[in-house]
Amino acid sequence: MNQESHHFAQNDINARLIRMGSEIAAYFHAYPEDKAVEAIASHINHFWTPKMREDFLAAAAEPGQVLPPLLAAAREGIKRKKIK
């Protein structure tokens, strides 16, 4: 895989993670806001691998990236990989 192919593949992965996070946020939309934010972060921490979480956080921090408000608020509760 060349550099350009890798870049496009990573963009696809990032887009998929943003979409998945957005779907989780949509599911918890009916909850009170504080409970929804907590539940979104908890779900992502429990079911996503550390690499998925890191890739999501990097993609979410990209300039111009727009997240649903609940997902944006949940970002702070998403656990980062532990550095050894």
Side-chain angles (χ1 to χ4, degrees):
M1 178 182 304
N2 65 30
Q3 180 96 5
E4 190 173 324
S5 296
H6 175 72
H7 178 73
F8 286 124
Q10 188 63 45
N11 283 347
D12 288 346
I13 291 167
N14 292 349
R16 188 174 316 137
L17 291 170
I18 295 294
R19 186 181 71 245
M20 289 168 56
S22 297
E23 290 170 355
I24 294 165
Y27 176 83
F28 289 108
H29 182 74
Y31 285 48
E33 185 175 344
D34 60 330
K35 299 291 185 199
V37 169
E38 182 180 322
I40 293 162
S42 177
H43 180 91
I44 290 172
N45 289 330
H46 186 76
F47 292 105
W48 290 17
T49 66
K51 174 138 177 45
M52 289 172 70
R53 294 192 309 264
E54 286 296 324
D55 287 347
F56 167 78
L57 291 169
E62 286 287 320
Q65 181 63 254
V66 178
L67 300 175
L70 290 174
L71 183 57
R75 279 179 22 188
E76 288 192 27
I78 296 173
K79 295 179 185 172
R80 298 197 75 95
K81 263 173 42 174
K82 292 181 181 172
I83 300 174
K84 295 181 181 182

